[in-house]
Amino acid sequence: MADPSSYRPKPGQIPDSPGVYKFRDEHRRVIYVGKAKSLRQRLANYFQPLTSLHPRTATMVTTAASVEWTVVSTEVEALQLEYSWIKEYDPRFNVKYRDDKSYPYLAVTMNEEFPRVQVLRGHKKKGVRYFGPYAHAWAIRETVDLMLRVFPVRTCSAGVFRNAASAGRPCLLGYIGKCSAPCVGRVTPEEHRELAEEFSDFMAGRTGTYIRRLEKQMMLAAEDMEYEKAARLRDDIEALRRAMEKSAVVLADATDADLIALAEDELEAAVQIFHVRGGRVRGQRGWVTDKVEAVDTAGLVEHAIQQLYGEESGETVPKEVLVPALPEDTEAVTAWLSGRRGANVSLRIPQRGDKKDLMETVARNAQQALVLHKTKRASDLTTRSRALEEIAEALDLDSAPLRIECFDISHLQGEDVVASMVVFEDGLPRKSEYRRFQIKSFEGQDDVRSMHEVIGRRFRRYLAEKEKTGEWDPEGVVEDPDESGRPKRFAYPPQLVVVDGGQPQVAAARRALDELGITDIAVCGLAKRLEEVWLPGDDDPVVLPRSSEGLYLLQRVRDTAHDFAIRYQRSKRAKRIRTSPLDAVPGLGDTRKQALIKHFGSVKRLRQATIEQICEVPGMGRKTAEAVVVALAQAAPAAPAVNTATGEIMEDDGGGTA
């Protein structure tokens, strides 16, 4: 634990101007990012006596080993830089909202020649119009199914579209009138794009125009005694109205707004967002966070706004953002939102009327989400804490192992030997720090030797990172530290290394650490046969009770590493099986390989071709054609290849071997 006075800046050293500051720990990892109107006043608050600080702030400043800052011109720049650094460094003491699911959106791919309506999750793509998010994918599909009667936009995948175009026949949706069938030319690309635009306009809330237009067409058809057409238009109108009813009207003035509400206690906070477009609730989402820093409601609102709109631009940022409390720098946040939208954005607290009533509904949802989260997590938190304490007690560790790394070796009869490293922090997997290794120093099957190599490579990288930052140098010379602060691949040591195996693997791991002079990292192994825990140098294993939460956590860590290693090993084996004799031709890239296979239909037919015939393929010169003939002649198979994973014979007539 560091003494904050040991790294406190000298009086007058901190500028009295807006800026962003970073606290780093002893490994130079950024652990907290903050912004301030006055860096001097804000940073002075962190160097008060520990007894006067909030407990979470006290934990942060004693974990830190240094502080630095960057001066900016305006508070808006500080807000943007703070968001960028939090996203880049992932500081452990900053509030980060954990979204418990990837919410589905209704997307219209306007960036394609024939726009497609589909359900998408994850990162948003340029040129695609998004509507939502929705709580459930089925809710989107029900809405789309109703709207396709009126706006028969393409919904099929690229493969189905190409097949239908090649066959000259549309799919079932084209026959039943729920697709305009652009694949077979029933509509032009321009007409289909207009349909997609109208679909998007309707979803964006501009519904009255289309309803009135259809009603007028229905009346004209009835007057002309075209009763079948009038009946179809009547059904279309009813379908659109049912689709509209799925989003309740909550604001009569066709408001475009996002309403953000919070529910919090001393330890956690839940945020709920209602997306209102055209006066209707078009989507809902929610997050939960640990209050790892001392933050009030206004601060939580600011963090939520940053996370919600940090990657958005244009109309996805609404005209109004309604919140329960205004951020400290309201003007800066409003200016930042307006910059992202490209137009003025109103950030305010609703005081009366329908908007205030809806905000109360959002707040009730937030409260329910927090209660539900605590109900689910209470036993989980207690269980994880107990598991870490049991491991520390069983292995005679000084403290609970907050970071555990587990290693496993995988191969198939001595071939494609690989290893995995998985990381658990606070008893939870940290997938961004999983790593994979190929065994390089030897060939064949030797799990003990493989484990020694992998542990050595991992911790040599750790020492190399320490040397870069000046924490460790074999010559005693301290260089300038690396100031990037970005999370590095192997920069942070675990408190416990777990290996998948028994006494031999544990001894190999311990020997690798000893050879590097690392003595402050504990090592254990978990043998599969009897689930025994082995320690270095012990002739007898540590036997944890079958009901032990510590044993269950070790099993989970070990099984995760095992699965991760097997997936990597299988992918390498599959890649090896898919290799082509064309891979041996120097200078022949993927594009020309595919051109050859497409021209001749298969490797088998290509093998029968002459040099002159190969030269007819666009991009193929005579020298390359000669090299292709030589490579195929040398690789002529004596027997069909077999996929050892499935037993399937790999035919040479296929087109995907290039």
Side-chain angles (χ1 to χ4, degrees):
M1 184 174 72
D3 182 358
S5 62
S6 65
Y7 62 88
R8 179 173 184 169
K10 295 178 181 179
Q13 189 177 3
I14 307 174
D16 187 18
S17 57
V20 183
Y21 54 91
K22 295 181 287 191
F23 281 87
R24 298 175 183 263
D25 64 10
E26 59 180 343
H27 302 293
R28 301 295 297 159
R29 186 177 189 174
V30 176
I31 62 171
Y32 184 73
V33 172
K35 63 174 176 56
K37 291 181 180 179
S38 169
L39 287 168
R40 181 179 300 170
Q41 295 178 15
R42 177 61 59 84
L43 288 176
N45 294 333
Y46 291 101
F47 296 100
Q48 302 175 31
L50 293 179
T51 54
S52 62
L53 293 176
H54 190 284
R56 284 187 282 271
T57 305
T59 301
M60 188 275 291
V61 297
T62 53
T63 303
S66 63
V67 63
E68 58 196 49
W69 54 86
T70 299
V71 175
V72 297
S73 302
T74 66
E75 296 166 26
V76 176
E77 287 184 25
L79 184 73
Q80 181 63 51
L81 183 58
E82 180 193 35
Y83 169 76
S84 299
W85 279 356
I86 289 175
K87 182 181 178 184
E88 179 178 4
Y89 299 131
D90 191 23
R92 59 179 289 195
F93 284 101
N94 277 94
V95 165
K96 294 182 288 292
Y97 289 103
R98 301 188 304 272
D99 205 345
D100 61 351
K101 60 175 75 67
S102 174
Y103 287 91
Y105 286 81
L106 174 60
V108 185
T109 58
M110 302 302 295
N111 56 350
E112 298 183 13
E113 181 184 7
F114 296 100
R116 175 189 177 192
V117 175
Q118 59 182 317
V119 179
L120 288 180
R121 298 176 186 265
H123 295 294
K124 295 184 177 180
K125 300 176 183 178
K126 188 175 182 180
V128 179
R129 293 195 66 178
Y130 291 88
F131 304 96
Y134 291 80
H136 303 286
W138 54 262
I140 305 178
R141 295 189 179 98
E142 285 185 358
T143 300
V144 170
D145 187 61
L146 290 169
M147 293 181 60
L148 289 179
R149 284 183 56 93
V150 186
F151 308 108
V153 186
R154 166 196 164 209
T155 58
C156 61
S157 66
V160 172
F161 188 89
R162 285 195 301 269
N163 291 339
S166 300
R169 298 191 307 271
C171 63
L172 177 62
L173 291 178
Y175 282 112
I176 65 175
K178 289 193 174 181
C179 179
S180 55
C183 54
V184 294
R186 286 187 185 173
V187 294
T188 65
E190 293 74 21
E191 290 170 336
H192 185 266
R193 180 167 292 275
E194 184 178 353
L195 274 175
E197 293 282 2
E198 292 177 348
F199 180 97
S200 299
D201 286 345
F202 190 90
M203 288 302 302
R206 294 181 279 276
T207 58
T209 303
Y210 297 101
I211 296 290
R212 288 193 295 272
R213 187 175 70 186
L214 291 176
E215 288 176 339
K216 185 176 180 180
Q217 292 175 359
M218 180 182 68
M219 298 302 294
L220 289 174
E223 290 175 3
D224 294 339
M225 293 186 290
E226 297 179 358
Y227 299 119
E228 290 184 2
K229 180 180 178 181
R232 182 176 56 79
L233 289 169
R234 178 201 62 201
D235 294 341
D236 289 349
I237 294 169
E238 182 62 25
L240 288 183
R241 283 178 173 158
R242 288 204 306 274
M244 292 167 58
E245 288 169 1
K246 290 184 176 294
S247 299
V249 177
V250 291
L251 300 174
D253 57 352
T255 300
D256 289 348
D258 284 351
L259 289 86
I260 302 173
L262 290 160
E264 57 182 306
D265 59 18
E266 284 296 316
L267 299 176
E268 295 177 306
V271 61
Q272 284 284 308
I273 304 102
F274 275 23
H275 302 277
V276 178
R277 299 294 183 270
R280 299 172 181 273
V281 178
R282 297 291 182 181
Q284 174 188 0
R285 66 192 304 182
W287 298 309
V288 178
T289 183
D290 291 322
K291 295 170 71 172
V292 291
E293 60 175 297
V295 61
D296 56 10
T297 302
L300 289 169
V301 167
E302 183 174 320
H303 287 305
I305 289 173
Q306 283 181 307
Q307 179 157 330
L308 192 59
Y309 304 112
E311 303 295 325
E312 305 294 346
S313 61
E315 292 185 357
T316 53
V317 181
K319 297 177 182 177
E320 283 187 276
V321 179
L322 306 178
V323 295
L326 292 174
E328 179 182 351
D329 301 328
T330 304
E331 293 182 2
V333 176
T334 303
W336 179 71
L337 287 171
S338 300
R340 302 211 67 83
R341 177 178 169 84
N344 288 334
V345 174
S346 172
L347 176 64
R348 63 189 183 86
I349 303 171
Q351 300 293 337
R352 63 183 67 84
D354 293 339
K355 293 177 181 177
K356 183 179 180 182
D357 293 341
L358 183 58
M359 178 63 82
E360 291 174 355
T361 300
V362 184
R364 284 196 298 272
N365 277 267
Q367 186 63 46
Q368 291 172 1
L370 183 62
V371 170
L372 180 61
H373 169 76
K374 285 189 167 296
T375 301
K376 289 180 177 179
R377 194 182 178 206
S379 61
D380 187 38
L381 258 178
T382 305
T383 301
R384 292 204 316 269
S385 300
R386 187 165 67 247
L388 293 173
E389 290 171 1
E390 288 180 2
I391 292 172
E393 183 178 353
L395 305 185
D396 197 22
L397 305 180
D398 294 333
S399 60
L402 298 183
R403 180 180 171 105
I404 300 173
E405 292 181 3
C406 184
F407 297 81
D408 184 37
I409 309 296
S410 181
H411 57 81
L412 180 67
Q413 297 176 348
E415 294 187 351
D416 298 320
V417 184
V418 299
S420 67
M421 179 188 101
V422 301
V423 179
F424 275 59
E425 288 190 351
D426 295 334
L428 294 174
R430 190 174 177 88
K431 295 184 179 180
S432 62
E433 299 197 18
Y434 288 10
R435 298 291 177 254
R436 306 182 301 188
F437 302 83
Q438 296 184 54
I439 303 304
K440 301 177 178 179
S441 63
F442 67 96
E443 295 182 358
Q445 177 180 350
D446 190 337
D447 288 359
V448 174
R449 189 175 174 186
S450 300
M451 186 64 72
H452 180 272
E453 176 186 332
V454 170
I455 297 291
R457 285 166 57 188
R458 184 266 182 266
F459 286 97
R460 273 194 295 273
R461 291 289 300 274
Y462 162 60
L463 293 179
E465 294 294 348
K466 289 187 70 176
E467 185 177 352
K468 286 181 183 178
T469 60
E471 296 178 62
W472 177 86
D473 187 84
E475 305 298 328
V477 179
V478 177
E479 301 179 354
D480 290 337
D482 180 3
E483 296 299 323
S484 71
R486 295 176 179 83
K488 295 182 175 59
R489 298 180 66 183
F490 296 102
Y492 313 114
Q495 286 79 48
L496 175 64
V497 167
V498 180
V499 299
D500 184 4
Q503 202 171 22
Q505 286 84 357
V506 173
R510 183 71 266 172
R511 188 170 67 255
L513 291 173
D514 291 341
E515 289 169 358
L516 296 172
I518 299 174
T519 59
D520 57 348
I521 296 176
V523 178
C524 76
L526 187 61
K528 291 187 180 71
R529 189 171 65 88
L530 297 175
E531 303 292 15
E532 300 166 330
V533 179
W534 289 90
L535 298 177
D538 288 359
D539 294 331
D540 299 314
V542 176
V543 180
L544 294 173
R546 290 290 173 176
S547 59
S548 166
E549 293 295 341
L551 177 61
Y552 176 74
L553 178 57
L554 289 176
Q555 289 171 329
R556 185 181 174 208
V557 171
R558 188 269 317 278
D559 293 344
T560 302
H562 183 67
D563 292 343
F564 191 49
I566 285 179
R567 288 200 302 272
Y568 182 38
Q569 195 271 334
R570 286 175 176 168
S571 69
K572 282 182 61 65
R573 185 172 73 242
K575 184 178 180 181
R576 177 168 53 82
I577 292 171
R578 290 194 302 266
T579 56
S580 164
L582 294 177
D583 295 340
V585 180
L588 186 65
D590 290 339
T591 301
R592 289 199 290 175
K593 287 180 191 176
Q594 292 171 6
L596 284 169
I597 296 299
K598 184 176 181 180
H599 182 84
F600 290 101
S602 70
V603 174
K604 183 176 180 180
R605 295 191 183 98
L606 174 59
R607 186 177 281 117
Q608 298 167 352
T610 64
I611 294 175
E612 287 71 20
Q613 289 172 328
I614 295 175
C615 288
E616 294 175 1
V617 178
M620 295 297 297
R622 185 171 185 85
K623 186 176 180 180
T624 305
E626 291 173 353
V628 169
V629 170
V630 171
L632 292 176
Q634 292 175 345
V642 177
N643 185 329
T644 56
T646 63
E648 176 187 4
I649 294 178
M650 306 298 288
E651 293 290 350
D652 220 8
D653 278 332
T657 58

